[in-house]
Amino acid sequence: MTESPADALLFEVAPPPTPVERLLQLADQYTQHNDALDLLMHAEGPPLPDAYANSAHRLASATGAAIKAIQGERLYESEELTEVIMRLRQLAILADASIDLNTRSARELTALAPEAAVSSAVTLASETRRRSATAPAPDGQLGAAHRTALAEIACGHVTASSSLGREFTRSREPKVLMSTLRALESKGLAARATGTARAAYVGGTPLDRVRLTSAGINALASVIDAPPAGPRTAPGTSPRPLPGAGQATMRSR
C-alpha cells in the first residue's frame, strides 16, 4: 500500500535541535530573562517576590539540559570541550542563585550569560566540525555582514526603535545597520519583539529586542565557527569571567 502525501505529513517530525542550536536557543532565553529583569527594575512599584523565580528555574533547567545534550554527542574529550561544560555549569549555578536575590543583583548574575552561551556554541561547533561527520553544512548565502549581525543578535546586543518616522538600530561594535537587519528579516532569520528591551534613557519608551528566529538560529549554527572576516565578527571563545561565579559556586557547596 502506497502512503499518500497527506499521510506522510502526519508523521513528519522536526528533527531535535543540535547541541549548538540548543546553546543559541539558551542564549535567547537568557536575553529574554535579562530584558524582563530590566523592565522590572524600571517599573512602578516593587516587583512581586517571585516575579522572576520561575524564569530563573527554567533557565537553570534548560542549561542543564544543554549540558546533557552535549555529553550525549560523545565527542572526543578535549580541553576546549571541558571548558564549555564548566562554563555552562557556572551559568546554571548563577541562574539558580539569582532566585533568592533582589532584582538588580539577580540581573548582575546573568548579565553575561547570553555571550557565554554563544561563545560556548562557537567552541562546540568548532569541536564538532573537527571531530564529527555530522556537522551542518555552512549556509553559503550568508555574507560576512549577515553572519556578524546574526552573532550580535544571538548575544543580545541588538535593539531597534523608531523616531519621527525613521527606524534605528542600537548595537555594540561591530555595528548592525538597519539595512542589514531588514535584509535578515526579509529572509526570515530575525524578528523584533516590540517593547521588550529597556529604554535608551530614563523615562523613555522600551526598545524592540531583535531576536533570531528558528531559521536564524539554524543558519547561524551552520556558520558560527567560520573564520572571522573582520576585527570581531563573532563572540570569542574565551568570554569574560561570569559575574558572581565564584560566590555562587561557594554558596552551592
Side-chain angles (χ1 to χ4, degrees):
M1 180 178 177
T2 303
E3 186 178 49
S4 69
D7 290 335
L9 288 174
L10 292 176
F11 296 97
E12 285 187 0
V13 179
T18 66
V20 172
E21 292 167 350
R22 190 184 290 269
L23 289 178
L24 295 178
Q25 292 171 350
L26 184 65
D28 180 60
Q29 289 176 271
Y30 274 105
T31 295
Q32 292 182 70
H33 177 77
N34 288 345
D35 282 341
L37 289 176
D38 284 336
L39 295 181
L40 278 174
M41 283 192 292
H42 294 89
E44 294 184 3
L48 296 174
D50 296 330
Y52 48 86
N54 290 337
S55 177
H57 271 304
R58 287 194 296 270
L59 284 173
S61 177
T63 306
I67 292 172
K68 290 181 180 179
I70 294 170
Q71 294 172 330
E73 291 293 292
R74 300 186 180 278
L75 295 173
Y76 180 79
E77 187 172 343
S78 65
E79 182 177 344
E80 291 80 5
L81 191 60
T82 299
E83 289 178 354
V84 165
I85 298 298
M86 291 176 61
R87 194 178 304 150
L88 292 173
R89 283 177 176 158
Q90 286 182 342
L91 289 184
I93 291 171
L94 292 175
D96 186 61
S98 71
I99 295 171
D100 299 326
L101 302 177
N102 61 48
T103 310
R104 187 173 300 279
S105 297
R107 177 66 173 84
E108 290 175 355
L109 282 191
T110 55
L112 302 182
E115 292 181 9
V118 174
S119 179
S120 297
V122 174
T123 303
L124 180 60
S126 178
E127 289 294 291
T128 302
R129 200 175 298 280
R130 284 199 302 126
R131 305 177 185 278
S132 172
T134 61
D139 189 331
Q141 298 182 343
L142 290 175
H146 290 169
R147 295 201 308 269
T148 298
L150 290 174
E152 291 299 301
I153 292 169
C155 284
H157 292 170
V158 186
T159 56
S161 61
S162 61
S163 177
L164 301 176
R166 295 186 59 189
E167 293 184 313
F168 303 90
T169 57
R170 294 175 61 86
S171 61
R172 304 181 185 182
E173 293 292 343
K175 294 293 185 183
V176 176
L177 302 178
M178 178 55 73
S179 58
T180 303
L181 173 56
R182 290 188 182 124
L184 293 176
E185 289 176 326
S186 69
K187 296 175 182 290
L189 303 181
R192 306 178 211 184
T194 305
T196 57
R198 67 181 179 183
Y201 54 90
V202 176
T205 302
L207 304 177
D208 300 341
R209 170 63 60 195
V210 180
R211 298 172 55 196
L212 297 182
T213 62
S214 296
I217 287 175
N218 295 342
L220 178 57
S222 74
V223 297
I224 196 169
D225 62 325
R232 186 173 74 87
T233 60
T237 55
S238 298
R240 290 169 284 174
L242 298 176
Q247 296 91 323
T249 303
M250 292 287 290
R251 183 170 177 264
S252 68
R253 291 178 182 173

PDB file of all heavy atoms in Angstrom, residues 168-198:
ATOM      1  N   PHE A 168      15.796  52.964  13.682  1.00  0.00           N
ATOM      2  CA  PHE A 168      17.190  52.924  14.089  1.00  0.00           C
ATOM      3  C   PHE A 168      17.500  51.581  14.750  1.00  0.00           C
ATOM      4  O   PHE A 168      16.611  50.918  15.279  1.00  0.00           O
ATOM      5  CB  PHE A 168      17.490  54.035  15.109  1.00  0.00           C
ATOM      6  CG  PHE A 168      17.169  55.422  14.641  1.00  0.00           C
ATOM      7  CD1 PHE A 168      15.906  55.969  14.860  1.00  0.00           C
ATOM      8  CD2 PHE A 168      18.122  56.179  13.984  1.00  0.00           C
ATOM      9  CE1 PHE A 168      15.604  57.250  14.437  1.00  0.00           C
ATOM     10  CE2 PHE A 168      17.831  57.468  13.554  1.00  0.00           C
ATOM     11  CZ  PHE A 168      16.571  58.003  13.779  1.00  0.00           C
ATOM     12  N   THR A 169      18.763  51.226  14.720  1.00  0.00           N
ATOM     13  CA  THR A 169      19.234  50.084  15.491  1.00  0.00           C
ATOM     14  C   THR A 169      20.221  50.584  16.531  1.00  0.00           C
ATOM     15  O   THR A 169      20.899  51.589  16.329  1.00  0.00           O
ATOM     16  CB  THR A 169      19.935  49.027  14.620  1.00  0.00           C
ATOM     17  OG1 THR A 169      21.032  49.642  13.930  1.00  0.00           O
ATOM     18  CG2 THR A 169      18.971  48.407  13.631  1.00  0.00           C
ATOM     19  N   ARG A 170      20.280  49.888  17.637  1.00  0.00           N
ATOM     20  CA  ARG A 170      21.285  50.151  18.666  1.00  0.00           C
ATOM     21  C   ARG A 170      22.037  48.847  18.881  1.00  0.00           C
ATOM     22  O   ARG A 170      21.435  47.805  19.094  1.00  0.00           O
ATOM     23  CB  ARG A 170      20.634  50.609  19.979  1.00  0.00           C
ATOM     24  CG  ARG A 170      19.939  51.944  19.899  1.00  0.00           C
ATOM     25  CD  ARG A 170      19.215  52.258  21.207  1.00  0.00           C
ATOM     26  NE  ARG A 170      20.129  52.328  22.338  1.00  0.00           N
ATOM     27  CZ  ARG A 170      20.797  53.429  22.700  1.00  0.00           C
ATOM     28  NH1 ARG A 170      20.620  54.552  22.006  1.00  0.00           N
ATOM     29  NH2 ARG A 170      21.614  53.429  23.734  1.00  0.00           N
ATOM     30  N   SER A 171      23.359  48.913  18.802  1.00  0.00           N
ATOM     31  CA  SER A 171      24.163  47.708  18.970  1.00  0.00           C
ATOM     32  C   SER A 171      25.569  48.099  19.387  1.00  0.00           C
ATOM     33  O   SER A 171      25.941  49.270  19.374  1.00  0.00           O
ATOM     34  CB  SER A 171      24.208  46.893  17.671  1.00  0.00           C
ATOM     35  OG  SER A 171      24.806  47.647  16.625  1.00  0.00           O
ATOM     36  N   ARG A 172      26.331  47.109  19.756  1.00  0.00           N
ATOM     37  CA  ARG A 172      27.738  47.338  20.082  1.00  0.00           C
ATOM     38  C   ARG A 172      28.551  47.249  18.805  1.00  0.00           C
ATOM     39  O   ARG A 172      28.031  47.052  17.720  1.00  0.00           O
ATOM     40  CB  ARG A 172      28.218  46.306  21.105  1.00  0.00           C
ATOM     41  CG  ARG A 172      27.392  46.280  22.390  1.00  0.00           C
ATOM     42  CD  ARG A 172      27.947  45.264  23.353  1.00  0.00           C
ATOM     43  NE  ARG A 172      27.108  45.132  24.536  1.00  0.00           N
ATOM     44  CZ  ARG A 172      27.370  44.334  25.560  1.00  0.00           C
ATOM     45  NH1 ARG A 172      28.464  43.575  25.538  1.00  0.00           N
ATOM     46  NH2 ARG A 172      26.558  44.264  26.595  1.00  0.00           N
ATOM     47  N   GLU A 173      29.855  47.387  18.963  1.00  0.00           N
ATOM     48  CA  GLU A 173      30.744  47.155  17.821  1.00  0.00           C
ATOM     49  C   GLU A 173      30.928  45.660  17.634  1.00  0.00           C
ATOM     50  O   GLU A 173      31.121  44.937  18.620  1.00  0.00           O
ATOM     51  CB  GLU A 173      32.106  47.828  18.049  1.00  0.00           C
ATOM     52  CG  GLU A 173      32.048  49.345  18.063  1.00  0.00           C
ATOM     53  CD  GLU A 173      31.716  49.941  16.707  1.00  0.00           C
ATOM     54  OE1 GLU A 173      31.842  49.211  15.698  1.00  0.00           O
ATOM     55  OE2 GLU A 173      31.326  51.111  16.652  1.00  0.00           O
ATOM     56  N   PRO A 174      30.897  45.156  16.413  1.00  0.00           N
ATOM     57  CA  PRO A 174      30.624  45.858  15.159  1.00  0.00           C
ATOM     58  C   PRO A 174      29.149  46.227  15.022  1.00  0.00           C
ATOM     59  O   PRO A 174      28.277  45.460  15.434  1.00  0.00           O
ATOM     60  CB  PRO A 174      31.033  44.837  14.094  1.00  0.00           C
ATOM     61  CG  PRO A 174      30.833  43.512  14.762  1.00  0.00           C
ATOM     62  CD  PRO A 174      31.160  43.721  16.219  1.00  0.00           C
ATOM     63  N   LYS A 175      28.874  47.391  14.498  1.00  0.00           N
ATOM     64  CA  LYS A 175      27.522  47.896  14.384  1.00  0.00           C
ATOM     65  C   LYS A 175      26.677  47.040  13.443  1.00  0.00           C
ATOM     66  O   LYS A 175      27.165  46.563  12.413  1.00  0.00           O
ATOM     67  CB  LYS A 175      27.530  49.338  13.864  1.00  0.00           C
ATOM     68  CG  LYS A 175      28.153  50.347  14.814  1.00  0.00           C
ATOM     69  CD  LYS A 175      27.318  50.503  16.066  1.00  0.00           C
ATOM     70  CE  LYS A 175      27.868  51.594  16.970  1.00  0.00           C
ATOM     71  NZ  LYS A 175      27.090  51.705  18.235  1.00  0.00           N
ATOM     72  N   VAL A 176      25.424  46.862  13.829  1.00  0.00           N
ATOM     73  CA  VAL A 176      24.460  46.185  12.967  1.00  0.00           C
ATOM     74  C   VAL A 176      23.554  47.255  12.383  1.00  0.00           C
ATOM     75  O   VAL A 176      22.796  47.895  13.118  1.00  0.00           O
ATOM     76  CB  VAL A 176      23.631  45.149  13.761  1.00  0.00           C
ATOM     77  CG1 VAL A 176      22.558  44.522  12.864  1.00  0.00           C
ATOM     78  CG2 VAL A 176      24.546  44.070  14.332  1.00  0.00           C
ATOM     79  N   LEU A 177      23.653  47.478  11.104  1.00  0.00           N
ATOM     80  CA  LEU A 177      22.899  48.543  10.446  1.00  0.00           C
ATOM     81  C   LEU A 177      21.439  48.130  10.250  1.00  0.00           C
ATOM     82  O   LEU A 177      21.119  46.944  10.147  1.00  0.00           O
ATOM     83  CB  LEU A 177      23.532  48.888   9.106  1.00  0.00           C
ATOM     84  CG  LEU A 177      25.007  49.333   9.132  1.00  0.00           C
ATOM     85  CD1 LEU A 177      25.504  49.592   7.718  1.00  0.00           C
ATOM     86  CD2 LEU A 177      25.190  50.560  10.017  1.00  0.00           C
ATOM     87  N   MET A 178      20.567  49.144  10.148  1.00  0.00           N
ATOM     88  CA  MET A 178      19.162  48.860   9.905  1.00  0.00           C
ATOM     89  C   MET A 178      18.977  48.139   8.571  1.00  0.00           C
ATOM     90  O   MET A 178      18.122  47.251   8.454  1.00  0.00           O
ATOM     91  CB  MET A 178      18.355  50.157   9.930  1.00  0.00           C
ATOM     92  CG  MET A 178      16.864  49.988   9.626  1.00  0.00           C
ATOM     93  SD  MET A 178      16.023  48.788  10.702  1.00  0.00           S
ATOM     94  CE  MET A 178      15.943  49.711  12.238  1.00  0.00           C
ATOM     95  N   SER A 179      19.767  48.492   7.577  1.00  0.00           N
ATOM     96  CA  SER A 179      19.645  47.828   6.276  1.00  0.00           C
ATOM     97  C   SER A 179      19.971  46.340   6.400  1.00  0.00           C
ATOM     98  O   SER A 179      19.329  45.496   5.757  1.00  0.00           O
ATOM     99  CB  SER A 179      20.578  48.488   5.253  1.00  0.00           C
ATOM    100  OG  SER A 179      21.930  48.449   5.703  1.00  0.00           O
ATOM    101  N   THR A 180      20.958  46.015   7.231  1.00  0.00           N
ATOM    102  CA  THR A 180      21.303  44.606   7.452  1.00  0.00           C
ATOM    103  C   THR A 180      20.184  43.887   8.191  1.00  0.00           C
ATOM    104  O   THR A 180      19.823  42.751   7.852  1.00  0.00           O
ATOM    105  CB  THR A 180      22.612  44.488   8.254  1.00  0.00           C
ATOM    106  OG1 THR A 180      23.653  45.182   7.564  1.00  0.00           O
ATOM    107  CG2 THR A 180      23.004  43.036   8.442  1.00  0.00           C
ATOM    108  N   LEU A 181      19.620  44.556   9.199  1.00  0.00           N
ATOM    109  CA  LEU A 181      18.512  43.955   9.944  1.00  0.00           C
ATOM    110  C   LEU A 181      17.328  43.688   9.022  1.00  0.00           C
ATOM    111  O   LEU A 181      16.724  42.615   9.076  1.00  0.00           O
ATOM    112  CB  LEU A 181      18.086  44.873  11.086  1.00  0.00           C
ATOM    113  CG  LEU A 181      16.826  44.448  11.854  1.00  0.00           C
ATOM    114  CD1 LEU A 181      16.974  43.038  12.412  1.00  0.00           C
ATOM    115  CD2 LEU A 181      16.526  45.445  12.965  1.00  0.00           C
ATOM    116  N   ARG A 182      16.997  44.650   8.173  1.00  0.00           N
ATOM    117  CA  ARG A 182      15.872  44.452   7.255  1.00  0.00           C
ATOM    118  C   ARG A 182      16.132  43.282   6.314  1.00  0.00           C
ATOM    119  O   ARG A 182      15.221  42.519   5.981  1.00  0.00           O
ATOM    120  CB  ARG A 182      15.627  45.728   6.454  1.00  0.00           C
ATOM    121  CG  ARG A 182      15.053  46.884   7.274  1.00  0.00           C
ATOM    122  CD  ARG A 182      14.671  48.030   6.380  1.00  0.00           C
ATOM    123  NE  ARG A 182      14.157  49.161   7.135  1.00  0.00           N
ATOM    124  CZ  ARG A 182      14.647  50.396   7.074  1.00  0.00           C
ATOM    125  NH1 ARG A 182      15.682  50.656   6.288  1.00  0.00           N
ATOM    126  NH2 ARG A 182      14.122  51.376   7.787  1.00  0.00           N
ATOM    127  N   ALA A 183      17.379  43.134   5.878  1.00  0.00           N
ATOM    128  CA  ALA A 183      17.717  42.019   4.993  1.00  0.00           C
ATOM    129  C   ALA A 183      17.515  40.686   5.709  1.00  0.00           C
ATOM    130  O   ALA A 183      16.980  39.726   5.136  1.00  0.00           O
ATOM    131  CB  ALA A 183      19.159  42.152   4.508  1.00  0.00           C
ATOM    132  N   LEU A 184      17.931  40.615   6.979  1.00  0.00           N
ATOM    133  CA  LEU A 184      17.749  39.386   7.752  1.00  0.00           C
ATOM    134  C   LEU A 184      16.268  39.109   7.985  1.00  0.00           C
ATOM    135  O   LEU A 184      15.829  37.958   7.937  1.00  0.00           O
ATOM    136  CB  LEU A 184      18.479  39.490   9.087  1.00  0.00           C
ATOM    137  CG  LEU A 184      20.011  39.549   9.025  1.00  0.00           C
ATOM    138  CD1 LEU A 184      20.585  39.738  10.420  1.00  0.00           C
ATOM    139  CD2 LEU A 184      20.588  38.304   8.375  1.00  0.00           C
ATOM    140  N   GLU A 185      15.500  40.162   8.240  1.00  0.00           N
ATOM    141  CA  GLU A 185      14.065  39.992   8.447  1.00  0.00           C
ATOM    142  C   GLU A 185      13.394  39.497   7.170  1.00  0.00           C
ATOM    143  O   GLU A 185      12.482  38.662   7.217  1.00  0.00           O
ATOM    144  CB  GLU A 185      13.440  41.314   8.898  1.00  0.00           C
ATOM    145  CG  GLU A 185      13.818  41.711  10.322  1.00  0.00           C
ATOM    146  CD  GLU A 185      13.285  43.069  10.725  1.00  0.00           C
ATOM    147  OE1 GLU A 185      13.201  43.967   9.840  1.00  0.00           O
ATOM    148  OE2 GLU A 185      12.948  43.267  11.902  1.00  0.00           O
ATOM    149  N   SER A 186      13.838  40.004   6.033  1.00  0.00           N
ATOM    150  CA  SER A 186      13.238  39.573   4.766  1.00  0.00           C
ATOM    151  C   SER A 186      13.519  38.110   4.476  1.00  0.00           C
ATOM    152  O   SER A 186      12.754  37.440   3.787  1.00  0.00           O
ATOM    153  CB  SER A 186      13.769  40.442   3.613  1.00  0.00           C
ATOM    154  OG  SER A 186      15.141  40.174   3.359  1.00  0.00           O
ATOM    155  N   LYS A 187      14.631  37.594   5.015  1.00  0.00           N
ATOM    156  CA  LYS A 187      14.971  36.180   4.855  1.00  0.00           C
ATOM    157  C   LYS A 187      14.342  35.310   5.934  1.00  0.00           C
ATOM    158  O   LYS A 187      14.513  34.091   5.948  1.00  0.00           O
ATOM    159  CB  LYS A 187      16.500  36.009   4.902  1.00  0.00           C
ATOM    160  CG  LYS A 187      17.270  36.675   3.771  1.00  0.00           C
ATOM    161  CD  LYS A 187      18.768  36.535   4.011  1.00  0.00           C
ATOM    162  CE  LYS A 187      19.585  37.219   2.926  1.00  0.00           C
ATOM    163  NZ  LYS A 187      19.488  36.499   1.642  1.00  0.00           N
ATOM    164  N   GLY A 188      13.633  35.939   6.871  1.00  0.00           N
ATOM    165  CA  GLY A 188      13.023  35.184   7.958  1.00  0.00           C
ATOM    166  C   GLY A 188      14.006  34.724   9.006  1.00  0.00           C
ATOM    167  O   GLY A 188      13.731  33.782   9.743  1.00  0.00           O
ATOM    168  N   LEU A 189      15.155  35.404   9.121  1.00  0.00           N
ATOM    169  CA  LEU A 189      16.187  34.985  10.063  1.00  0.00           C
ATOM    170  C   LEU A 189      16.167  35.767  11.370  1.00  0.00           C
ATOM    171  O   LEU A 189      16.770  35.336  12.357  1.00  0.00           O
ATOM    172  CB  LEU A 189      17.571  35.126   9.411  1.00  0.00           C
ATOM    173  CG  LEU A 189      17.787  34.361   8.100  1.00  0.00           C
ATOM    174  CD1 LEU A 189      19.194  34.578   7.577  1.00  0.00           C
ATOM    175  CD2 LEU A 189      17.507  32.877   8.295  1.00  0.00           C
ATOM    176  N   ALA A 190      15.520  36.914  11.381  1.00  0.00           N
ATOM    177  CA  ALA A 190      15.463  37.753  12.580  1.00  0.00           C
ATOM    178  C   ALA A 190      14.089  38.402  12.678  1.00  0.00           C
ATOM    179  O   ALA A 190      13.394  38.563  11.667  1.00  0.00           O
ATOM    180  CB  ALA A 190      16.557  38.820  12.559  1.00  0.00           C
ATOM    181  N   ALA A 191      13.711  38.763  13.895  1.00  0.00           N
ATOM    182  CA  ALA A 191      12.422  39.416  14.122  1.00  0.00           C
ATOM    183  C   ALA A 191      12.545  40.326  15.337  1.00  0.00           C
ATOM    184  O   ALA A 191      13.451  40.162  16.165  1.00  0.00           O
ATOM    185  CB  ALA A 191      11.315  38.383  14.341  1.00  0.00           C
ATOM    186  N   ARG A 192      11.642  41.292  15.436  1.00  0.00           N
ATOM    187  CA  ARG A 192      11.672  42.237  16.551  1.00  0.00           C
ATOM    188  C   ARG A 192      10.558  41.913  17.545  1.00  0.00           C
ATOM    189  O   ARG A 192       9.413  41.695  17.160  1.00  0.00           O
ATOM    190  CB  ARG A 192      11.503  43.672  16.050  1.00  0.00           C
ATOM    191  CG  ARG A 192      12.508  44.063  14.980  1.00  0.00           C
ATOM    192  CD  ARG A 192      12.261  45.477  14.475  1.00  0.00           C
ATOM    193  NE  ARG A 192      12.647  45.601  13.072  1.00  0.00           N
ATOM    194  CZ  ARG A 192      12.620  46.728  12.381  1.00  0.00           C
ATOM    195  NH1 ARG A 192      12.203  47.849  12.961  1.00  0.00           N
ATOM    196  NH2 ARG A 192      12.987  46.747  11.106  1.00  0.00           N
ATOM    197  N   ALA A 193      10.903  41.901  18.813  1.00  0.00           N
ATOM    198  CA  ALA A 193       9.925  41.726  19.888  1.00  0.00           C
ATOM    199  C   ALA A 193       9.635  43.123  20.443  1.00  0.00           C
ATOM    200  O   ALA A 193      10.474  43.711  21.132  1.00  0.00           O
ATOM    201  CB  ALA A 193      10.462  40.804  20.969  1.00  0.00           C
ATOM    202  N   THR A 194       8.471  43.641  20.136  1.00  0.00           N
ATOM    203  CA  THR A 194       8.144  45.030  20.428  1.00  0.00           C
ATOM    204  C   THR A 194       8.135  45.336  21.918  1.00  0.00           C
ATOM    205  O   THR A 194       7.498  44.643  22.706  1.00  0.00           O
ATOM    206  CB  THR A 194       6.761  45.390  19.840  1.00  0.00           C
ATOM    207  OG1 THR A 194       6.766  45.079  18.441  1.00  0.00           O
ATOM    208  CG2 THR A 194       6.460  46.866  20.019  1.00  0.00           C
ATOM    209  N   GLY A 195       8.865  46.404  22.283  1.00  0.00           N
ATOM    210  CA  GLY A 195       8.820  46.922  23.649  1.00  0.00           C
ATOM    211  C   GLY A 195       9.278  45.985  24.736  1.00  0.00           C
ATOM    212  O   GLY A 195       8.832  46.086  25.873  1.00  0.00           O
ATOM    213  N   THR A 196      10.205  45.097  24.431  1.00  0.00           N
ATOM    214  CA  THR A 196      10.638  44.109  25.438  1.00  0.00           C
ATOM    215  C   THR A 196      12.020  44.407  26.015  1.00  0.00           C
ATOM    216  O   THR A 196      12.463  43.714  26.931  1.00  0.00           O
ATOM    217  CB  THR A 196      10.660  42.698  24.836  1.00  0.00           C
ATOM    218  OG1 THR A 196      11.515  42.680  23.688  1.00  0.00           O
ATOM    219  CG2 THR A 196       9.255  42.267  24.419  1.00  0.00           C
ATOM    220  N   ALA A 197      12.709  45.418  25.496  1.00  0.00           N
ATOM    221  CA  ALA A 197      14.037  45.769  25.998  1.00  0.00           C
ATOM    222  C   ALA A 197      13.978  47.133  26.684  1.00  0.00           C
ATOM    223  O   ALA A 197      13.140  47.977  26.358  1.00  0.00           O
ATOM    224  CB  ALA A 197      15.062  45.798  24.857  1.00  0.00           C
ATOM    225  N   ARG A 198      14.876  47.344  27.619  1.00  0.00           N
ATOM    226  CA  ARG A 198      14.845  48.582  28.395  1.00  0.00           C
ATOM    227  C   ARG A 198      15.040  49.804  27.495  1.00  0.00           C
ATOM    228  O   ARG A 198      15.670  49.726  26.441  1.00  0.00           O
ATOM    229  CB  ARG A 198      15.904  48.576  29.484  1.00  0.00           C
ATOM    230  CG  ARG A 198      17.335  48.605  28.962  1.00  0.00           C
ATOM    231  CD  ARG A 198      18.319  48.584  30.112  1.00  0.00           C
ATOM    232  NE  ARG A 198      19.694  48.579  29.626  1.00  0.00           N
ATOM    233  CZ  ARG A 198      20.758  48.500  30.406  1.00  0.00           C
ATOM    234  NH1 ARG A 198      20.588  48.410  31.707  1.00  0.00           N
ATOM    235  NH2 ARG A 198      21.966  48.491  29.893  1.00  0.00           N
TER     236      ARG A 198
END
